[in-house]
Amino acid sequence: MTRTTRRSFLGQASAGGLMVVSGSAWGQAAVDLPFAPSERALTKGFPQKGPMILQRTRPPLLETPFEVFDRGVFTPNDSFYVRWHWAVIPTEIDVGTFRLSVRGHVDKELSLTLKEIVDGLPRVELAAVNQCSGNSRGFTEPRVPGAQWANGAMGNAKWMGVRLKDVLDRAGVKAGATAVRFAGLDDPVVPEAPKFMKSLALDHASDGEVMIAYAMNGEQLPLLNGFPLRLVVPGWYSTYWVKMLARIEVLAAPDENFWTRNAYLIPDTPGADMKPGQTGLTMVPITRMVPRSFVTNLKDGATLKAGTKTLVRGIAFGGDTGVKSVELSVNGGTSWRPTVLGRDEGKYSFRQWQAEVTPSAGDVALMVRCTNDGGLVQPMANNWNPSGFMHNGIETVHLKAA
C-alpha cells in the first residue's frame, strides 16, 4: 500500500481538478447476481474505477464484484463501491479554490483550504468499513424498492485525515449546541428537492473518532468516493459518510431536514425487523451497523472433493465494534466450529478468517456467523422492513461434495 504523506497528497491534489470521463462503455460485460433480474452489466466506464457491477448510471451506483473481497482485508480504491443520492455531481473540483466552511452556532466561522486542513491539523488514520444501509437489499422477500444490491455495497479502507473534533475546536462550539450537520457539493436535479444533508449529535461528532478524510488506502480519495473530503463515521452506515464534504453547520436545535427526519428510517424493533404490511411501529433513524460475515473463496454451486481437506476463508466485521469470533457450519447450522481469525486491523475493519473442512459426499450447506465484541450474534434469517435496511442474516453457500 503506497503511503500518502501531507506533501504528496497536496502535490497530487494541486495537479488540477479531477474530471469524470463521459463515454458509452457502460456494459462491456455481464455478471449474474443471485436474484432476479440476475444479469447486470459489468462496466469499466467510470473514472478511477475498474470493472464494477452497474446498478445505475445517474446518479452512479456501482457495486463491488464479490470476488474482490477474497483478495485482502482492504478493498482497492478502484473497486470500492459507489452510491450517490442526487445526480448533479461536480465533474471537476478546483482544489485551489475549494473551501470547507464551518458555520452556525460557533464562536468563529471558518473557511478552510485543503492545505490548511492537511498541513494545519493533526493527521489520524483509521481502518473502517463503509457499508450502504441497503446492502444486500436484492435478497429481501417480499421485494422492496430501491437499488437491488447483492452483497457488494460495502468496502473497507484505511482512511487518513483529521479529527472532526479538531475542526470544531478551532471554530469554537458555543454553549447550547446540540448537533452538527454536514453537506457536500452534490445537488438535487430539481430546485424544490431537498439537498442531501445528514447530522450527528454534538457528543458523537466530538468523540475524536469521526473523521474528515482526504485519503483512503494510501491515495487521495477517488472523485466518485468523495474527493476531496469525505466524512468518516466509524461503525455507522454510510448514509452519514457525506461525500465531497463542503459545509459543516453547528446547530442549536434538532435537525429537521428531510434526510434526517423523513429518510433512512427503520422500525424501532430488534434487528429493525417487522412484518410486511405491519403498521403502528415507531420509526427511528438508522445508525449503527451490525455484525456480518461471508465466505469469499467458494461460490454457491461449487463442487468439492469428498473426504479431502478444503480451506474455507472469508471476511467478517462486527458493525459498531470488533469481531469476537467467527464460526462455521457444514450442516446448515446444526453444529458450529470455531475458525482462525486473521490480523486485527482495528475494531471497525474487516477481519479475515479461515478454517479447514473435510466434507462427506453429498450436499453441503456451508454457513458462517460472526459474534461481535458486544455479544451481538448474526441471526439465522434476514430481517424485513420496507426499505430493505440492515440485512445481516447468516450467509449460506450451497456446495456439492463428490
Side-chain angles (χ1 to χ4, degrees), residues 15-313:
L18 295 180
M19 183 174 294
V20 171
V21 180
S22 61
S24 58
W26 302 125
Q28 297 178 344
V31 63
D32 283 334
L33 297 183
F35 46 78
S38 62
E39 186 173 297
R40 306 294 172 88
L42 190 66
T43 176
K44 295 182 181 178
F46 288 84
Q48 302 172 292
K49 294 294 177 184
M52 302 287 288
I53 300 170
L54 181 63
Q55 292 284 357
R56 191 178 302 163
T57 58
R58 192 169 185 264
L61 272 63
L62 308 177
E63 180 169 349
T64 302
F66 197 75
E67 59 268 18
V68 169
F69 299 116
D70 193 48
R71 298 174 190 164
V73 73
F74 292 110
T75 312
N77 291 2
D78 65 355
S79 299
F80 210 98
Y81 89 100
V82 172
R83 196 271 190 258
W84 290 83
H85 294 86
W86 292 124
V88 182
I89 303 166
T91 57
E92 190 174 81
I93 304 292
D94 186 336
V95 298
T97 61
F98 174 85
R99 298 292 185 274
L100 173 66
S101 70
V102 185
R103 63 191 192 189
H105 205 60
V106 295
D107 295 327
K108 179 178 64 175
E109 293 193 351
L110 304 177
S111 180
L112 300 172
T113 66
L114 280 176
K115 182 173 176 58
E116 288 171 328
I117 293 168
V118 175
D119 279 345
L121 292 164
R123 185 182 72 181
V124 293
E125 292 186 355
L126 178 74
V129 173
N130 174 285
Q131 180 185 208
C132 179
S133 308
N135 191 25
S136 312
R137 181 185 286 119
F139 297 103
T140 304
E141 290 292 343
R143 300 293 286 272
V144 296
Q148 299 300 297
W149 304 107
N151 290 329
M154 63 177 184
N156 184 47
K158 185 169 286 187
W159 308 93
M160 183 171 74
V162 300
R163 285 182 290 263
L164 174 61
K165 179 183 185 301
D166 292 338
V167 174
L168 295 176
D169 287 348
R170 179 169 289 194
V173 177
K174 290 182 177 180
T178 61
V180 185
R181 185 164 62 195
F182 311 92
L185 294 176
D186 52 319
D187 284 314
V189 292
V190 291
E192 59 271 20
K195 181 173 178 64
F196 183 74
M197 298 185 291
K198 293 297 289 187
S199 61
L200 298 172
L202 178 62
D203 287 350
H204 187 185
S206 305
D207 68 2
E209 288 193 329
V210 179
M211 293 173 56
I212 299 171
Y214 48 73
M216 59 187 288
N217 292 331
E219 300 175 349
Q220 67 179 40
L221 297 167
L223 184 134
L224 289 176
N225 293 114
F227 180 86
L229 299 174
R230 179 171 196 168
L231 196 69
V232 171
V233 187
W236 282 38
Y237 285 98
S238 69
T239 180
Y240 294 91
W241 296 43
V242 174
K243 297 181 289 296
M244 291 186 179
L245 179 66
R247 191 174 77 208
I248 298 173
E249 184 178 4
V250 179
L251 306 177
D255 185 9
E256 295 295 325
N257 98 82
F258 170 84
W259 296 98
T260 294
R261 185 184 60 188
N262 303 98
Y264 285 96
L265 302 180
I266 56 172
D268 189 14
T269 60
D273 193 23
M274 60 183 287
K275 297 183 183 301
Q278 188 175 0
T279 60
L281 294 174
T282 300
M283 304 295 284
V284 297
I286 193 171
T287 56
R288 299 174 183 272
M289 293 193 295
V290 288
R292 301 197 72 177
S293 57
F294 305 88
V295 175
T296 59
N297 71 319
L298 298 174
K299 292 186 177 182
D300 204 76
T303 298
L304 307 181
K305 190 171 182 179
T308 301
K309 285 185 178 180
T310 300
L311 179 69
V312 185
R313 64 174 177 262

Side-chain angles (χ1 to χ4, degrees), residues 320-350:
D320 65 347
T321 188
V323 173
K324 180 180 180 180
S325 64
V326 177
E327 298 168 290
L328 190 67
S329 173
V330 296
N331 52 20
T334 301
S335 61
W336 297 87
R337 66 182 73 177
T339 67
V340 177
L341 295 179
R343 178 176 171 176
D344 188 353
E345 299 285 355
K347 66 179 182 179
Y348 299 118
S349 173
F350 283 160

